[in-house]
Amino acid sequence: MFERLERMPDDPILGLMAAFRADQSPDKVDLGVGVYRNGRGETPVLEAVRRAERLVLEAQSTKTYVAPAGNAAFTQAMERLAFGASHPALISGRVRTIQGVGGCGALRLGAELIHAAAPHSIVHVSSPTWANHVPLLTGCGLELEPYPYYDPATGGIRSAEMLQALDSLPAGSVVLLHASCHNPTGADLSEEQWREVLAVVQRRRLLPFIDMAYQGLGGGVDADAFAVRLFASELPELLVAVSCSKNFGLYRERAGTLHILTESASRSEAALSHEVRIARRLYSMPPDHGAAIVSRILGDEGLRDLWRRELGDMRERILSLRRELVRQLSAACPSQDFSFIGAQRGMFSLLGVSPERVRALRADHHVYMTEDSRINIAGLSSENLEYFARSVARALA
Ligand code: LMR
């Protein structure tokens, strides 16, 4: 049976992890997969996570099943984190939440729900968008169409073209939006631009599907949820997929949520009942360990404060790396303008060099990034920043 299966090409992001590990050069620099690293290049377990994990293990008396919708303490705590504790959409009971197997699982659950409700839906995604959005969303039969987003000439957003494109969509079209720390560009909508997008969404009766994978790593926990909270106040329907991978550093534990907002509590309950079926059919139930840790942290004032401080340190480190990177690149390549990197937010920016030069950076300088020249800013450090800037200058010469 399996003789027909040819080897698949490596995943464009995960394939880099293996290539980097196999590289024996002492100079190698990993700017590939989006994982936070500290100044020593490590991705340590957060102290808040360590403490919460101990409490979880001490208190846990059983390993019996949780439920297809996941750990209720976790999903409710995540609602408060995403929407704000006293958001009217929460108080009215219009938000229902299912735990995902990480943020990816939450995105897939959202896609499956859209497919169940309207199988011919087209999901409109930013150009460019995160590479894995494509298989995650098309895997259940939905079609994708790009809308204009990133302007490589300025490092900003083509907002007039974006709004015009959204304004020509038929009612019911789905628009995937990145809440903050846009992956792969780092170019985020301003509050004013979010309001403009909202006006188009209302006028055209579109369904926004917001991917919030970096809450707290851009402008702060509340600032990064601005669009989620605004849209939830003004719209009848909204889907939000949230990941705990980066902001809690829980990558391998696969904790995330899909929040469903509809016009009424009973419709949201009906939508959730479909999700429960979908989850049962796909994997039955999500893992609990990461969810139990997050609910411990968010349910305890001391742990929550500690987590917020640790998250703030990660955010500040990325911001200072951005400033230092602009300085070093400007010194190494004086004829090029890299100031856009300082204005962008989150883990990623696109360097704006060709795939040939990306390959040369890897082959000649052991610097790893995805082919679109996306760099994980958090992979830089005082140890490798100068070397990286010099390598870019050589590759561009
Ligand atoms: C990334 O974009 O590098 C991360 O979100 C990790 C992944 O799964 O692709």
Side-chain angles (χ1 to χ4, degrees):
M1 179 190 284
F2 302 120
E3 68 275 9
R4 293 198 199 155
L5 298 182
E6 306 234 332
R7 193 187 184 285
M8 298 287 278
D10 288 337
D11 179 272
I13 296 175
L14 303 185
L16 281 177
M17 285 168 72
F20 180 80
R21 276 191 204 125
D23 189 329
Q24 297 301 316
S25 167
D27 296 329
K28 64 182 180 175
V29 181
D30 183 7
L31 308 181
V33 69
V35 165
Y36 177 81
R37 295 210 171 79
N38 65 16
R40 289 183 299 280
E42 297 154 353
T43 307
V45 179
L46 296 186
E47 183 53 29
V49 167
R50 260 196 206 294
R51 291 189 196 172
E53 191 165 38
R54 265 186 235 122
L55 295 172
V56 166
L57 292 178
E58 276 164 21
Q60 203 165 54
S61 56
T62 179
K63 292 281 186 195
T64 188
Y65 296 120
V66 183
N71 175 331
F74 167 68
T75 53
Q76 285 162 18
M78 290 296 287
E79 286 175 357
R80 293 191 289 274
L81 188 66
F83 293 84
S86 53
H87 196 288
L90 294 188
I91 291 167
S92 65
R94 288 170 54 223
V95 177
R96 285 286 180 277
T97 300
I98 180 164
Q99 190 177 322
V101 180
C104 285
L107 282 163
R108 183 53 177 260
L109 285 171
E112 294 277 351
L113 187 67
I114 293 165
H115 189 261
H120 303 296
S121 296
I122 298 183
V123 183
H124 298 264
V125 296
S126 62
S127 172
T129 196
W130 177 43
N132 207 35
H133 277 150
V134 180
L136 275 175
L137 299 173
T138 57
C140 61
L142 296 174
E143 269 183 57
L144 297 194
E145 291 272 352
Y147 60 80
Y149 187 80
Y150 185 62
D151 184 355
T154 63
I157 295 166
R158 294 153 65 191
S159 69
E161 287 163 75
M162 172 184 176
L163 291 171
Q164 201 180 13
L166 299 185
D167 218 352
S168 67
L169 299 180
S173 302
V174 183
V175 184
L176 187 80
L177 297 153
H178 301 222
S180 68
C181 309
H182 185 273
N183 184 0
T185 71
D188 285 344
L189 292 161
S190 65
E191 292 191 2
E192 195 189 331
Q193 287 169 326
W194 276 117
R195 288 187 209 282
E196 288 169 347
V197 171
L198 173 66
V200 176
V201 164
Q202 284 173 313
R203 186 161 58 243
R204 306 302 304 184
R205 303 195 4 255
L206 310 176
L207 173 68
F209 186 178
I210 301 184
D211 182 1
M212 183 155 68
Y214 300 90
Q215 188 180 4
L217 285 164
V221 169
D222 297 317
D224 291 346
F226 174 80
V228 169
R229 296 172 186 185
L230 174 71
F231 281 30
S233 296
E234 304 295 328
L235 293 174
E237 295 185 340
L238 174 68
L239 292 177
V240 186
V242 182
S243 168
C244 301
S245 296
K246 328 281 167 158
N247 55 358
F248 287 89
L250 281 170
Y251 308 87
R252 64 175 63 171
E253 303 296 356
R254 312 310 298 137
T257 41
L258 179 82
H259 305 283
I260 306 160
L261 172 83
T262 75
E263 269 164 319
S264 66
S266 59
R267 280 202 192 154
S268 299
E269 194 56 44
L272 181 68
S273 73
H274 282 263
E275 285 292 25
V276 165
R277 280 287 175 93
I278 290 165
R280 181 77 170 136
R281 197 175 67 216
L282 288 174
Y283 54 83
S284 190
M285 289 173 223
D288 185 55
H289 193 63
I293 290 169
V294 171
S295 76
R296 267 284 172 171
I297 293 174
L298 296 178
D300 176 303
E301 207 182 320
L303 289 177
R304 196 169 57 236
D305 289 348
L306 174 60
W307 167 68
R308 281 208 180 225
R309 281 201 300 281
E310 293 188 282
L311 179 58
D313 290 347
M314 292 197 271
R315 178 172 66 247
E316 287 306 320
R317 181 164 178 277
I318 293 173
L319 285 171
S320 78
L321 282 169
R322 283 186 175 278
R323 289 190 290 272
E324 187 54 20
L325 179 59
V326 173
R327 208 178 66 74
Q328 298 267 3
L329 282 174
S330 308
C333 327
S335 60
Q336 297 238 6
D337 181 10
F338 287 101
S339 58
F340 64 91
I341 293 175
Q344 296 171 346
R345 289 292 172 267
M347 283 194 184
F348 307 113
S349 282
L350 291 175
L351 211 49
V353 306
S354 66
E356 293 73 45
R357 286 182 162 150
V358 168
R359 286 194 283 272
L361 273 162
R362 179 167 150 183
D364 304 339
H365 304 283
H366 309 275
V367 172
Y368 288 73
M369 64 186 77
T370 50
E371 284 243 321
D372 55 0
S373 79
R374 186 192 81 165
I375 52 171
N376 172 17
I377 306 277
L380 293 167
S381 69
S382 52
E383 304 280 293
N384 63 24
L385 227 153
E386 208 182 318
Y387 171 77
F388 171 67
R390 263 191 284 117
S391 304
V392 172
R394 289 202 184 118
L396 290 181

